[in-house]
Amino acid sequence: DAKTTQPTSMDCAEGRAANLPCNHSTISGNEYVYWYRQIHSQGPQYIIHGLKNNETNEMASLIITEDRKSSTLILPHATLRDTAVYYCIVRVVSNTGKLIFGQGTTLQVKP
Amino acid sequence: DSGVTQTPKHLITATGQRVTLRCSPRSGDLSVYWYQQSLDQGLQFLIQYYNGEERAKGNILERFSAQQFPDLHSELNLSSLELGDSALYFCASSVALAGETGTGELFFGEGSRLTVL
């Protein structure tokens, strides 16, 4: 599975959009981009995933560049409850299914 | 609530002891995954079972073992415990393998916090 690079930490003002970048320059054609988050010592929670098209759900939007070497997770209106560690993971949806977590980005939403 | 249940939530034991952590996956999920999260190592994949059989292995120590039972619940056994085994242990489940229904999403439980004194 391809490696990802994320900033260690970011701040965001409550009510503003939080844009979390992820670099995955060695991503393969059959690898998806997944985003999970972990709110203080809780189990990680799935947010969104995509292959090459932009994706949106009730939690967030995922923007993947045309060359697929980077992506951005957007939380449109961040709240204090969005304070968490956000993990960007790229992987093939294979028969092992496991996720390999990096260090992630600690997002602090401030009032 | 992810639907994945882990017990116990907290466990305190002494070095050299053995403990068993239990995981009940979401109804219908065939795959179970175990992860360890310690302060200095982040989330580490340990092992995966699919429908009772081992499917993938990660950084699992020889002192640790796991199994998945016919009713699909899983147990992680940790023996000869050391101080460094103190961590959060997460179980996750997913619906199926690729090619079957599902998005490849893993659903995580709330974890079992193990403290070794």
Side-chain angles (χ1 to χ4, degrees), chain A residues 38-103:
Chain A
Q38 186 177 23
I39 297 172
H40 184 61
S41 296
Q42 296 180 19
Q45 176 191 25
Y46 166 84
I47 302 173
I48 199 167
H49 78 286
L51 183 62
K52 55 183 178 180
N53 296 320
N54 297 339
E55 302 287 345
T56 296
N57 62 21
E58 65 279 4
M59 289 182 68
S61 294
L62 174 60
I63 308 298
I64 303 174
T65 58
E66 192 169 344
D67 63 8
R68 303 208 324 121
K69 293 185 177 181
S70 66
S71 61
T72 301
L73 177 74
I74 301 172
L75 308 179
H77 305 287
T79 71
L80 298 178
R81 288 179 295 179
D82 292 321
T83 292
V85 179
Y86 287 79
Y87 298 97
C88 169
I89 302 164
V90 293
R91 70 172 175 103
V92 175
V93 182
S94 72
N95 62 0
T96 62
K98 65 183 185 294
L99 296 172
I100 303 300
F101 290 85
Q103 295 305 306

Side-chain angles (χ1 to χ4, degrees), chain B:
Chain B
D1 182 7
S2 67
V4 177
T5 303
Q6 291 188 245
T7 57
K9 293 192 186 312
H10 301 276
L11 188 56
I12 301 174
T13 189
T15 55
Q17 296 299 304
R18 172 189 172 95
V19 299
T20 297
L21 309 180
R22 181 187 170 101
C23 170
S24 294
R26 293 187 323 154
S27 177
D29 283 2
L30 298 175
S31 274
V32 171
Y33 312 76
W34 286 98
Y35 286 81
Q36 179 192 54
Q37 186 172 35
S38 54
L39 281 175
D40 58 346
Q41 290 292 324
L43 273 161
Q44 298 289 313
F45 169 71
L46 295 179
I47 198 164
Q48 176 204 0
Y49 280 82
Y50 175 77
N51 203 21
E53 295 196 1
E54 183 182 306
R55 177 67 67 167
K57 210 168 197 176
N59 302 319
I60 188 166
L61 299 172
E62 287 192 9
R63 299 184 286 109
F64 296 0
S65 65
Q67 55 183 327
Q68 186 179 28
F69 295 87
D71 66 353
L72 301 178
H73 91 271
S74 178
E75 292 181 358
L76 179 66
N77 300 296
L78 315 174
S79 62
S80 302
L81 285 168
E82 302 175 359
L83 296 177
D85 298 327
S86 295
L88 266 170
Y89 291 85
F90 289 105
C91 170
S93 71
S94 66
V95 62
L97 299 183
E100 302 175 22
T101 57
T103 62
E105 176 183 352
L106 270 61
F107 297 86
F108 284 81
E110 291 304 307
S112 292
R113 183 176 294 279
L114 173 66
T115 302
V116 182
L117 301 176

